[in-house]
Amino acid sequence: MKILIVGSGGREHALAWRLARSLRVSQMWVAGGNSGTAGLATNVAISPENVPEVVTLAREISADLVVVGPEQPLVEGLVDCLAEAGIPAFGPSRSAARIEASKSFARQVMRDAGVPGPEYRVFHEQSAAVDFLTKHASPVVIKADGLAAGKGVALCPGPEEAVLAVKGCMEDRIFGSAGDSVVVEEWLHGPEVSVFTFSDGENLSAPVAACDYKQVDDGDQGPNTGGMGSFAPPPFWDQVLADEITRTILRPTVERMAELGCPYRGILYAGIMLTDDGPRVLEFNCRFGDPETQVIMPLLESDPVDAMLASIEGNLSHTEVRWGQKPHVGVVLVSGGYPGAYETGKEISGLDSDCGRVGGRELETNSLVFHAGTANASDGDGTRVVTSGGRVLTVVGRGDTIEGARATAYRRVEAIGFENAKYRSDIGDLAVGSRGRI
Ligand code: AMP
Ligand code: GLY
């Protein structure tokens, strides 16, 4: 089969790496891509967010399956446009992707379906929000309703901070139209886990779980980023918890989406907090997580194409999706300065040339290197790999324990370098943010 992957990050390299191991895949293209995906597939220099260009490319290569990585093209209806062109695409329709694109829509779905989450209120007027917040002294979380590239959430210990956050959204419009409405939520506490399930609109696969690290500095300090590391499976993840989350969160949500006439097909990603009162949903996303995908793709033992086609065709009840248990830890290397301003074009040393190809050095090193902001630069001395973005690589170690996987990941990280490279040194440390607790 010919596969087109849409996206340019570590998530998409990890998807390409896993798809390359499927006996069903003969050829792959990537819309966007990076130096890592170039070793496994043909990169095509178009924007993953340009829906008409992606559809044209899928037609030109006669793709048998399109796998969409990021949320933006899903929210803009890429899967609907591909379906109209008769091309099977893995990911939710535009109307189902609202579960990520609108936090108020997602909360309404959860309320209707009885899915546990924080208490919340939605406001369309700044004055009403301010009025509510000044009368309501407890800590709250303020969220811009729409897509804000992961930046639209403010944790507010008191009314002053909350009123400022609302002003930022609704008056200063720092997130543009995404902040036209805001959701005010109860501030919950507990360890967080990202849970992923394949859904065909009605049936669900076994879920898989991972933990990620969002803040830039050790000890969960500093500004939020697109992700500084991840591990899977979490030590507390067992069949009892997986069953509880499926029963109380994933299944009722998928059932409600079907009732609403927007059946959810694709990967459903639930960001969950394990509170003292049980699992509570912080958010739903309509895609795989990054950098979680880099540690869960190595766990997928069954065929990824089978799972994706079954999700599209409504066949998940006849398709086994099997996840392994071997611990994996992923450390993200970023450009110095990220998530603020940073330089690019720095040569990266210590990479293997195999890019995760079947038969590469993976088994020998027990590690994998997934690329994100990297590019091939050619000059008189041949081709070099250089940095081209803020998040540059995810280095994944595998082991018999999280500690072992962590040690392997950091050994490999130390062999890789570029000017001003930065990474957290506590990824996979279960004490950080009580990620090992339940
Ligand atoms: P979201 O984009 O909604 O997942 O929010 C980003 C991050 O904000 C989450 O990973 C949590 O760390 C935090 N967060 C979101 N909602 C809440 C909440 N209701 N209570 C506590 N923390 C939250
Ligand atoms: N790991 C967070 C995200 O993918 O949104």
Side-chain angles (χ1 to χ4, degrees), residues 103 141 143 153 155 185-188 192 214 282-283:
K103 290 185 190 286
V141 180
K143 299 184 176 181
V153 175
L155 302 176
E185 293 182 1
E186 170 195 6
W187 183 334
L188 301 177
E192 283 181 48
K214 293 190 172 74
L282 297 180
E283 62 167 349

Side-chain angles (χ1 to χ4, degrees), residues 171-236:
E171 191 175 318
D172 307 337
R173 297 178 60 83
I174 51 181
F175 306 115
S177 60
D180 284 350
S181 304
V182 296
V183 183
V184 177
E185 293 182 1
E186 170 195 6
W187 183 334
L188 301 177
H189 297 278
E192 283 181 48
V193 61
S194 305
V195 178
F196 303 88
T197 184
F198 287 87
S199 168
D200 67 6
E202 196 181 334
N203 306 290
L204 303 179
S205 73
V208 65
C211 292
D212 72 345
Y213 295 75
K214 293 190 172 74
Q215 280 153 295
V216 74
D217 292 320
D218 281 8
D220 290 341
Q221 302 297 309
N224 267 343
T225 70
M228 294 298 290
S230 52
F231 63 82
F236 54 73

